[in-house]
Amino acid sequence: MNKNFVMATIAGGITLWVLGFVIYGVLLADFFANDAINPEPIMWAVTLGQLLSAAFLTIILGWKGVANAKEGFQAGAIIGAVMGLAFGLMMYGTMVGMHTMATLLGDTVVSLVVYGVGGAVIAMVLNRGAAEA
């Protein structure tokens, strides 16, 4: 773990948190209100989860050797879609919170966008640090 990893993880975590809030909490709040969103989220858990997600993305993008924001977006979007669909299917099959396939698919699309943008930000920070070294 080095300074680039920490900075990319923090930048990615902030990006994931802000985009998640804007998309889930503002833009699509009504769409997700009855199925998937806790009306009173536990913010420390959301924040820690986003930082851990960003660390996961940073590790994968570092291993992949992404060279720019476009590659970071593409890899992040694929990771987000697969993870979103996988976790969504598990929640759909086992929990009360996800009632419809529309919610499941909507969450998958949102995950694709959020993780794609997060991946682009992480790639930019990782490569900026590499260029300075």
Side-chain angles (χ1 to χ4, degrees):
M1 183 182 322
N2 60 28
K3 182 180 173 184
N4 287 349
F5 175 85
V6 172
M7 295 305 293
T9 297
I10 291 170
I14 291 169
T15 302
L16 296 177
W17 196 97
V18 169
L19 283 176
F21 173 77
V22 169
I23 295 173
Y24 286 109
V26 178
L27 297 176
L28 297 177
D30 291 340
F31 177 76
F32 288 110
N34 293 325
D35 287 333
I37 300 296
N38 183 350
E40 294 187 32
I42 303 165
M43 295 313 293
W44 70 262
V46 173
T47 301
L48 184 58
Q50 296 295 32
L51 283 172
L52 289 170
S53 294
F56 175 72
L57 266 178
T58 303
I59 291 166
I60 299 298
L61 297 180
W63 285 345
K64 186 171 172 26
V66 296
N68 55 47
K70 179 182 176 188
E71 289 181 10
F73 180 87
Q74 291 170 336
I78 291 167
I79 292 165
V82 171
M83 285 178 32
L85 185 58
F87 291 130
L89 284 167
M90 288 185 282
M91 287 179 14
Y92 183 77
T94 61
M95 301 179 102
V96 178
M98 184 134 352
H99 298 120
T100 66
M101 288 303 281
T103 303
L104 171 66
L105 295 175
D107 185 56
T108 300
V109 171
V110 171
S111 294
L112 181 150
V113 171
V114 169
Y115 279 79
V117 174
V121 169
I122 288 168
M124 289 188 300
V125 173
L126 282 176
N127 286 311
R128 183 191 73 203
E132 291 174 1

